[in-house]
Amino acid sequence: MEITPAYREFLAARRELAAIATRQKGVITRAQLFDLGFSSSGISRLIAAGHLHRIHRGVYAVGHTALTLHGRWMAAVLACGPEAVLSHHAAAALHELRTTPGGLIDVTAPGKRDHDGVRC
């Protein structure tokens, strides 16, 4: 069976999607998916097939929803934009300066962002 160039590109995009998700603790943004060449309908198909799971508006867990604490922190930061950073108690816990906080995830970013479970 011959693999078409379009299918070869699709496979390469899927491999890069997995690589990005691995670097980002299991999450990826819609903008990153577009950069990889996925269309809105392609993203919708990945969601319908259970390959992507919405965590925040524009942020998806790849393959499953069992994110680690670091994955949840990364999803919160990505949801708040490219200039966002983890902050306050969560940032201190990330650097092992204090115990892991419960409740909302604090993120510092320019402008107001509204995401469930995130204080921005």
Side-chain angles (χ1 to χ4, degrees):
M1 181 171 142
E2 185 178 334
I3 297 177
T4 66
Y7 189 66
R8 196 178 315 275
E9 286 179 30
F10 170 76
L11 292 176
R14 290 290 298 260
R15 281 191 298 274
E16 186 58 25
L17 183 163
I20 291 169
T22 297
R23 288 192 303 272
Q24 294 180 170
K25 311 299 183 198
V27 296
I28 194 162
T29 68
R30 188 172 185 84
Q32 290 171 321
L33 291 165
F34 285 141
D35 289 345
L36 291 174
F38 289 95
S39 64
S40 290
S41 62
I43 294 169
S44 294
R45 284 191 298 275
L46 289 172
I47 293 167
H51 299 298
L52 296 176
H53 306 273
R54 184 180 186 271
I55 303 299
H56 299 291
R57 183 176 50 255
V59 180
Y60 304 93
V62 178
H64 59 81
T65 58
L67 292 175
T68 65
L69 179 60
H70 287 194
R72 291 194 309 274
W73 287 343
M74 179 62 85
V77 170
L78 290 172
C80 292
E83 297 179 34
V85 294
L86 193 65
S87 62
H88 296 75
H89 298 297
L94 176 66
H95 294 285
E96 299 178 353
L97 299 173
R98 65 173 300 145
T99 60
T100 302
L104 297 175
I105 299 170
D106 288 306
V107 175
T108 299
K112 172 114 173 72
R113 311 292 174 129
D114 184 27
H115 298 282
D116 289 339
V118 180
R119 183 176 25 234
C120 188

